Every structure is written in structure tokens, then in C-alpha cells.
Amino acid sequence: MRKRSVWAWGVAIFCFIVLMIVTPAIPQSQEYHNFADQRKFLGIPNALNVVSNFPFLVVGLIGLVLCHHGNYFKLSLQGELWGWTCFYIGVAAVAFGSSYYHLKPNDARLVWDRLPMTVAFTSIIGIFIIERIDERKGTVSLIPLLLAGVISIMYWRFFDDLRPYAAVQFVPCLAIPLMAILLPPMYTHSTYWLWAAGFYLLAKIEEAADKPIYNWTHHIVSGHTLKHLCAAMVPVFLTLMLAKRDIETNRISLYRSWRISWSKTKENGAEMDSHTCTYSSVAVEESH
């Protein structure tokens, strides 16, 4: 098992090196800082983009309290508590880092916006390894994953190249839904992972459509503000999942359970189609 782990890390590092060789550098565009909604309220510049980060603080603090107060989430696997603790710390820190950035958007402040998000992303990958693959491997991988996230931010800041950060951000976006669908879960309610992934995808779409959404809503709200609110739904759904879930007694993947449900639906439909109806003729007596 240890040899397989070494091979897995080796393949991942090799693929990353090849990606860095064959792809050009991606510098940070300064247009990124030019958000659609720059209105000032109560003396706060870019007010809605700043205030819309508040839900991250609320969810992050609630998650931390429930993790450590009486083990409300019933975290029993090795490393789970540390993984979820890092995740909720990252979520709560997003409120401060993103607010600080949006008060005066520039590259120097963007570091503090992206750093807590990276902590949350990489923690989630470690949690998934703990739950779906191996407790010990997932626990051991938490620190390297967190370091990889921090290094990707530092690499971008010093070399103006977003490729490592893009890999750290988007690999979880692909890996988590695939792992949630294909790997047998340890706990129930694993569809909440897909809800969380869906809201994150919606948030990225809203971020890309910042100015069009601002125009469509007649300058009421921008896409970036909505992006913050939708992204905050990710930890909300994961917190609900933790609160509701139990140990899964029948460990089958979502993909397999969907196939079983689809097969049963087809069989039921075939049975309904196979029923035949017979009609008997009824003699009608003529009246005189």
C-alpha cells in the first residue's frame, strides 16, 4: 500500500511538471480587479462585494463550534476532525481575506483573498481521501495538500504565473464530483457533495458574468456579489450533510445506486407494458 501511495504521488507530480512545461505562463490580468459594482455605501467602497462575504464567517464559525463542541458531527475516522477544522478555518478566513481585498482590489491584497480559499479546497481533497480511500493516507496527505495550496499562491505572487493556483483550484472541482459519484461512501447523504459542487459551478459562472448580470439587474446587484452568496452555499450544504449523515451500512457508489434505480424503473415500465386487457362481449337486449 505504501508503494502504491508513492507511485500515486509520483504520477501526480510528473503530470504537473509536464503541464508546466507544455503550457505557457498565465499572468494575472489587471482587468480582473475592475469589478462592475463599485458603489460606496456608508463609507464602504465596493460595499456589496465586501458585505456579501459575511455568510462565510457565519458558516465557518458554526462549523468550527459543531466540530469541537461535543462532537456534534460524530467525526470518527482518523484525521476527519483535523480536515474539517482546516476547512472551516479556511471558510471563516475567506470573510476577512475577501473583504480586505474588495476594499481596495489589487494583486497584493488578492493574495489574502485566495489563500483561505485554497486552504478550504485542499482540505476537502484530504477529507475525501480519508472518507473514500484510506484514513491514514488521507490524514498524512492533509499537510502536503495544504502546503501545495500555499506554494501555488506564493508562486503566482513571485512569478506572476497562475498555472499552479489554477490546478489547485480546478482539480478539486473535477475530482470531488467524480469521487462522490464513483467511490462508495462511508456515510449517508453523499448527494449533498453534488449540491455543493453545483453551487460552486454556479458561483464561477456568476463571477465570469459579473458585468452582464449587473446590467441585466439594472445595477441592483453584480455577478461577483451573487458569486459570493452562491459560494457560501457550498459550506452550508456540507454542514447540513455533516449534521444529517450516518454510517452507510450498504456501501455502494452513487453511480451504482443510480444504475440499480434506472434498471428497476425500466423493469417496472416493461411489466406495465406487458399487461394485456381482454374484453368480454355483453349481450344487449332490445326493448319492445
Side-chain angles (χ1 to χ4, degrees):
M1 295 294 288
R2 184 177 299 177
K3 190 174 180 180
R4 289 174 60 185
S5 300
V6 172
W7 270 101
W9 278 104
V11 169
I13 294 171
F14 175 77
C15 291
F16 176 75
I17 292 172
V18 170
L19 182 68
M20 293 292 290
I21 293 173
V22 301
T23 59
I26 305 174
Q28 176 65 58
S29 171
Q30 294 306 301
E31 182 62 23
Y32 179 83
H33 306 305
N34 184 25
F35 297 101
D37 188 358
Q38 300 181 15
R39 292 173 294 178
K40 180 186 290 187
F41 295 119
L42 301 175
I44 304 173
N46 309 309
L48 287 184
N49 284 344
V50 172
V51 174
S52 57
N53 287 293
F54 182 68
F56 289 105
L57 178 62
V58 175
V59 181
L61 291 178
I62 290 174
L64 281 172
V65 170
L66 295 180
C67 275
H68 292 273
H69 182 69
N71 195 17
Y72 180 80
F73 290 147
K74 301 176 183 176
L75 303 175
S76 58
L77 299 177
Q78 178 187 356
E80 266 191 316
L81 181 61
W82 291 108
W84 286 110
T85 297
C86 290
F87 172 74
Y88 282 116
I89 287 174
V91 169
V94 166
F96 298 102
S98 185
S99 297
Y100 175 70
Y101 163 66
H102 282 288
L103 287 170
K104 187 180 179 181
N106 57 47
D107 282 359
R109 291 185 175 224
L110 186 56
V111 172
W112 303 106
D113 178 29
R114 287 175 170 169
L115 189 58
M117 288 192 292
T118 303
V119 170
F121 290 144
T122 51
S123 300
I124 284 293
I125 290 292
I127 290 167
F128 244 93
I129 296 172
I130 291 170
E131 285 189 13
R132 307 279 174 132
I133 299 176
D134 184 83
E135 295 178 49
R136 185 178 175 278
K137 290 179 182 178
T139 304
V140 171
S141 69
L142 278 172
I143 292 178
L145 287 168
L146 290 169
L147 285 175
V150 173
I151 290 170
S152 72
I153 297 291
M154 296 300 102
Y155 187 90
W156 157 64
R157 191 69 186 99
F158 286 111
F159 298 102
D160 193 22
D161 186 358
L162 286 170
R163 286 178 296 171
Y165 173 73
V168 168
Q169 185 180 25
F170 290 108
V171 166
C173 297
L174 297 174
I176 289 173
L178 286 174
M179 291 170 73
I181 292 171
L182 298 176
L183 297 181
M186 176 68 70
Y187 299 102
T188 60
H189 294 83
S190 58
T191 52
Y192 278 73
W193 286 106
L194 301 184
W195 281 103
F199 269 98
Y200 185 76
L201 176 61
L202 179 60
K204 298 305 292 182
I205 294 172
E206 289 167 339
E207 180 182 32
D210 180 33
K211 293 179 181 177
I213 291 175
Y214 192 56
N215 293 329
W216 295 337
T217 60
H218 301 284
H219 296 183
I220 295 174
V221 64
S222 69
H224 202 86
T225 298
L226 293 178
K227 175 244 183 177
H228 288 165
L229 299 177
C230 278
M233 292 301 295
V234 173
V236 167
F237 270 96
L238 296 183
T239 303
L240 290 174
M241 177 192 71
L242 290 173
K244 291 184 175 185
R245 71 184 189 176
D246 292 305
I247 297 294
E248 180 64 80
T249 54
N250 185 22
R251 292 195 62 185
I252 60 173
S253 67
L254 283 174
Y255 174 71
R256 187 179 173 192
S257 66
W258 291 342
R259 287 189 62 184
I260 292 172
S261 299
W262 175 247
S263 298
K264 288 182 178 179
T265 302
K266 288 177 66 178
E267 289 174 2
N268 291 337
E271 288 178 4
M272 291 179 64
D273 292 340
S274 64
H275 289 310
T276 57
C277 297
T278 57
Y279 299 91
S280 58
S281 58
V282 179
V284 178
E285 183 178 350
E286 295 183 359
S287 58
H288 297 283

